[in-house]
Amino acid sequence: MTSGTILPGIPGYEEFHHWISIPFCLLYLVGIMGNCTILHIVRTDPRLHQPMYYFLAMLSLTDMGMSMPTMISLFRVLWSISREIQFSTCVVQMFFIHTFSFTESSVLLAMAFDRYVAICHPLRYATILTPRLIMKIGIAALLRSACAMIPLLARLAFFPFCHSHILSHSYCLHQDMIRLACADTLFNVIYGLLLVVVLWGMDSLGIFVSYVYILHSILKIASREGRLKALNTCASHICVVLILYVPMMGLSIVHRFAKHSSPLIHIFMAHIYLLVPPVLNPIIYSVKTKQIRQGVLYLLLRTKTGSTMS
């Protein structure tokens, strides 16, 4: 495919695109600022140089990696700069979106393992989750996701696209691109489905098993306060898992079983999938985690004090 594809924006609301861009701009701004704040606090506060917060920093990086590739193409459409995107740019955007989506799932599995070790083996926590192991987990999660995407995108480059070049979203997704191909896409369909089942399936199964062991250990705690405290340390992670997996499953169901539904449904689900986790994850951890909350308050007070003195 040599020509570009057309990004639709929000069909039927073209005259309001400039106004619609305002809430999107605010969401991107909140997501970027929230995740950058988490990264800054974890980096600068020695008290947060612990496995749980290293994994939280990884989550912030994958959140930004998943959402930021969509930002330029979305605002080019909404601000009426251009609706066309070149195929090579589309493939790169697709690679980053899907790679970081799979990576985020792996990071959530690593965070579940972190909670399992902290609750079930607290005395061995520091010796099991060493900085070296955490670094290896992060690199392995990224490489696994990136390598898994290469066969799909390499094959996509050789497809002829003789159907309409109009996509369903303001950015490129693999399941959207193969819909436009007029070649045999069976490999891409089956391989893509296997990726979802194997990667997300293994991660979600690992998270589930971790929480089975966690709940088993929590129920052994004698005091009610102790059980609630242990559960509270997992609450943020459970919320983040639901925020990623529920929209992810919804988008997959819409693409596979509701192909002829309103375009607005496809657009709405895709934006929830890519924008909601980066916006809500920092807020959830800032509200539910005392150390992060204290770090945010300290950063705000320090900034306010500095501006007052100047």
Side-chain angles (χ1 to χ4, degrees), residues 218-236:
I218 289 174
L219 292 175
K220 290 181 179 179
I221 299 174
S223 66
R224 183 173 179 272
E225 292 77 11
R227 290 195 296 270
L228 290 175
K229 184 178 179 181
L231 281 172
N232 191 53
T233 63
C234 301
S236 300

Side-chain angles (χ1 to χ4, degrees), residues 12-71:
Y13 296 88
E14 288 81 3
E15 59 189 282
F16 302 108
H17 273 180
H18 285 81
W19 293 105
I20 293 171
S21 70
I22 295 174
F24 277 110
C25 191
L26 291 173
L27 285 172
Y28 274 108
L29 188 62
V30 170
I32 292 170
M33 288 182 63
N35 285 293
C36 286
T37 300
I38 294 289
L39 290 170
H40 176 73
I41 291 170
V42 172
R43 185 180 69 86
T44 57
D45 191 342
R47 296 173 302 171
L48 302 184
H49 293 175
Q50 299 177 32
M52 174 183 174
Y53 303 107
Y54 289 144
F55 287 127
L56 179 56
M58 287 185 198
L59 183 68
S60 292
L61 286 172
T62 55
D63 274 336
M64 290 194 291
M66 190 170 68
S67 63
M68 287 184 69
T70 68
M71 185 168 59

Side-chain angles (χ1 to χ4, degrees), residues 58-293:
M58 287 185 198
L59 183 68
S60 292
L61 286 172
T62 55
D63 274 336
M64 290 194 291
M66 190 170 68
S67 63
M68 287 184 69
T70 68
M71 185 168 59
I72 296 175
S73 61
L74 174 62
F75 287 122
R76 278 170 60 87
V77 173
L78 294 180
W79 292 342
S80 304
I81 298 172
S82 175
R83 293 179 59 197
E84 187 173 349
I85 182 171
Q86 292 301 313
F87 180 68
S88 57
T89 307
C90 196
V91 169
V92 171
Q93 187 183 64
M94 207 184 310
F95 174 79
F96 279 111
I97 292 173
H98 290 298
T99 294
F100 281 106
S101 174
F102 286 129
T103 304
E104 179 151 346
S105 178
S106 300
V107 171
L108 291 178
L109 172 60
M111 295 174 82
F113 178 68
D114 168 77
R115 292 297 83 206
Y116 160 74
V117 176
I119 293 172
C120 300
H121 304 284
L123 299 179
R124 298 172 57 199
Y125 182 66
T127 56
I128 293 175
L129 288 171
T130 61
R132 186 179 180 86
L133 177 61
I134 293 168
M135 184 175 66
K136 287 181 179 179
I137 289 173
I139 294 172
L142 184 60
L143 288 178
R144 182 192 78 157
S145 306
C147 293
M149 286 303 301
I150 291 174
L152 278 181
L153 303 185
R155 186 170 170 80
L156 191 68
F158 296 98
F159 283 161
F161 290 79
C162 54
H163 298 310
S164 166
H165 287 190
I166 301 176
L167 297 175
S168 302
H169 312 294
S170 301
Y171 35 80
C172 303
L173 296 175
H174 173 260
Q175 56 266 43
D176 202 14
M177 287 294 293
I178 60 173
R179 181 178 57 84
L180 306 181
C182 54
D184 182 10
T185 60
L186 184 62
F187 171 82
N188 281 58
V189 171
I190 294 176
Y191 184 82
L193 185 60
L194 283 175
L195 276 187
V196 172
V197 172
V198 173
L199 297 187
W200 285 343
M202 285 176 59
D203 291 344
S204 56
L205 179 62
I207 292 169
F208 175 77
V209 171
S210 296
Y211 273 102
V212 168
Y213 282 105
I214 288 169
L215 287 173
H216 184 260
S217 294
I218 289 174
L219 292 175
K220 290 181 179 179
I221 299 174
S223 66
R224 183 173 179 272
E225 292 77 11
R227 290 195 296 270
L228 290 175
K229 184 178 179 181
L231 281 172
N232 191 53
T233 63
C234 301
S236 300
H237 180 254
I238 293 171
C239 291
V240 169
V241 169
L242 293 175
I243 286 170
L244 178 70
Y245 278 104
V246 172
M248 184 189 293
M249 290 187 291
L251 183 62
S252 298
I253 290 169
V254 165
H255 270 288
R256 281 175 170 76
F257 303 110
K259 296 179 181 179
H260 303 292
S261 59
S262 169
L264 290 176
I265 295 176
H266 290 258
I267 293 168
F268 180 70
M269 289 301 301
H271 284 310
I272 288 179
Y273 165 55
L274 290 175
L275 276 177
V276 170
V279 171
L280 290 186
N281 288 350
I283 295 173
I284 289 170
Y285 273 96
S286 298
V287 171
K288 295 293 294 180
T289 308
K290 180 182 177 182
Q291 291 83 350
I292 296 294
R293 186 167 63 249

